[in-house]
């Protein structure tokens, strides 16, 4: 029996996103959590930092501006990052916590711990947690001059 001329077998190509690795191998990403006291940013990249996997802020998850720095908004943002990174194959993270730093406040805002806790409880493997807050060592002066801000 000869096949018909009009019918040809079509091969289906499966498109897979992310790096190609063997079974059981962990693919690492870097999760930058920038948490000043006004909003929380969660930015997941590859190890080199050049390829963005996912970027979400707390302001995208809540309606009110005053709720942006809250731990609840940071938790919702972290919950959005998790499925996107798992979809691309990233199952392990290096976490870098950052705050404003410099000659301003050097502690992270309320959303940093909540976002970190959500990532840990979701099943993502955490390799290391690094504090990358910028601390000057050259006695940088604060804004306002010698006598302070004039009112």
């Amino acid at each position: 029996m000869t096949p018909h001329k009009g019918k040809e077998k079509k091969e289906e190509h499966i498109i897979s996103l992310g790096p190609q690795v063997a079974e059981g191998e962990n693919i690492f990403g870097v999760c930058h959590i920038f948490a000043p006291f006004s909003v929380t940013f969660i930015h997941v990249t590859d190890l080199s930092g050049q390829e963005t996997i996912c970027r979400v802020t707390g302001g995208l998850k809540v309606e009110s501006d005053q709720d942006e720095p809250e731990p609840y908004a940071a938790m919702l943002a972290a919950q959005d990052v998790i499925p996107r990174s798992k979809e691309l194959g990233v199952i392990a993270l290096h976490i870098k916590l950052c705050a404003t730093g410099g000659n301003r406040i050097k502690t992270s805002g309320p959303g940093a711990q909540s976002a970190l806790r959500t990532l840990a409880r979701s099943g993502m493997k955490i390799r290391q947690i690094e504090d990358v807050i910028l601390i000057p060592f050259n006695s940088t002066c604060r804004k306002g001059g010698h006598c302070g801000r004039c009112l």
Side-chain angles (χ1 to χ4, degrees), residues 57-75:
T57 66
L60 294 173
K61 299 287 123 196
V62 292
E63 296 293 325
S64 176
D65 290 342
Q66 66 186 8
D67 293 336
E68 288 180 10
E70 295 296 320
Y72 178 68
M75 182 185 73

Side-chain angles (χ1 to χ4, degrees), residues 127-148:
R127 174 75 184 264
Q128 68 181 10
I129 301 171
E130 187 179 355
D131 187 13
V132 291
I133 298 173
L134 303 172
I135 299 174
F137 293 102
N138 59 351
S139 303
T140 307
C141 298
R142 288 184 74 96
K143 185 175 113 175
H146 177 68
C147 299

Side-chain angles (χ1 to χ4, degrees), residues 77-135:
Q79 285 175 352
D80 273 8
V81 165
I82 294 161
R84 178 66 180 155
S85 59
K86 284 187 177 178
E87 177 185 323
L88 294 176
V90 175
I91 59 171
L93 293 173
H94 297 292
I95 294 181
K96 294 187 176 185
L97 290 173
C98 188
T100 307
N103 59 3
R104 298 189 179 147
I105 193 157
K106 294 163 186 64
T107 58
S108 56
Q113 298 299 320
S114 177
L116 178 60
R117 184 175 178 164
T118 305
L119 290 171
R121 293 180 133 211
S122 69
M124 299 289 281
K125 296 177 183 175
I126 296 177
R127 174 75 184 264
Q128 68 181 10
I129 301 171
E130 187 179 355
D131 187 13
V132 291
I133 298 173
L134 303 172
I135 299 174

Side-chain angles (χ1 to χ4, degrees), residues 15-30 44-47 53-54 81-93 123-125:
I15 298 173
S16 62
L17 301 174
Q20 306 296 323
V21 294
E23 285 292 322
E25 188 175 338
N26 292 337
I27 302 172
F28 280 93
V30 180
V44 179
T45 64
D46 62 343
L47 282 177
I53 294 171
C54 185
V81 165
I82 294 161
R84 178 66 180 155
S85 59
K86 284 187 177 178
E87 177 185 323
L88 294 176
V90 175
I91 59 171
L93 293 173
M124 299 289 281
K125 296 177 183 175

